[in-house]
Amino acid sequence: MSRASEKSPRFEQAIEQLETIIDEIESGQCGLEDCITQYEKGMKLIARCQTILNNAQTRIAELTADADGRLQIKGSQDEAADEEETDEDDEQLDAEIDENAEE
């Protein structure tokens, strides 16, 4: 597992970070440049949350019951390729968030 994926915020963590950003911007106590930086970070967190939700929706849609009523996953090979692609997207997004946080 790469360093970036280890630091990827989970959905709930991303939502908490978004709430903190919104509170900070709405307080009116940050300067314009800081607000823009926070806004950019918030937009990236929203994109991450949307990716997580889309993946969850896809996964749920793929769950089906077999003849015995047990859940099974359709297209597990395709799913592995999709997850690999998503991990790469997450790593790029995390790098961008880290880069903005350092500025």
Side-chain angles (χ1 to χ4, degrees):
M1 185 177 286
S2 73
R3 181 179 163 250
S5 63
E6 291 173 5
K7 294 175 62 178
S8 298
R10 300 181 57 88
F11 181 80
E12 293 79 7
Q13 294 168 326
I15 293 294
E16 285 182 27
Q17 290 175 12
L18 275 170
E19 290 173 346
T20 300
I21 288 170
I22 290 168
D23 289 344
E24 186 176 331
I25 291 173
E26 287 183 345
S27 75
Q29 295 184 2
C30 63
L32 178 61
E33 290 87 8
D34 289 340
C35 285
I36 291 171
T37 299
Q38 291 295 70
Y39 180 81
E40 289 173 349
K41 184 177 177 182
M43 294 304 292
K44 290 175 183 173
L45 288 167
I46 289 170
R48 173 152 179 75
C49 289
Q50 189 63 51
T51 298
I52 292 169
L53 290 172
N54 289 342
N55 289 342
Q57 185 177 20
T58 300
R59 178 125 179 142
I60 289 169
E62 292 174 348
L63 289 173
T64 59
D66 64 12
D68 296 328
R70 293 178 296 205
L71 290 179
Q72 62 183 49
I73 299 171
K74 284 186 175 178
S76 59
Q77 292 177 344
D78 292 339
E79 182 177 305
D82 290 345
E83 286 182 8
E84 186 174 305
E85 185 174 306
T86 300
D87 286 345
E88 291 173 6
D89 292 343
D90 288 349
E91 289 176 11
Q92 182 178 0
L93 179 60
D94 290 338
E96 289 175 8
I97 290 171
D98 289 343
E99 184 179 304
N100 285 336
E102 292 174 4
E103 293 178 354

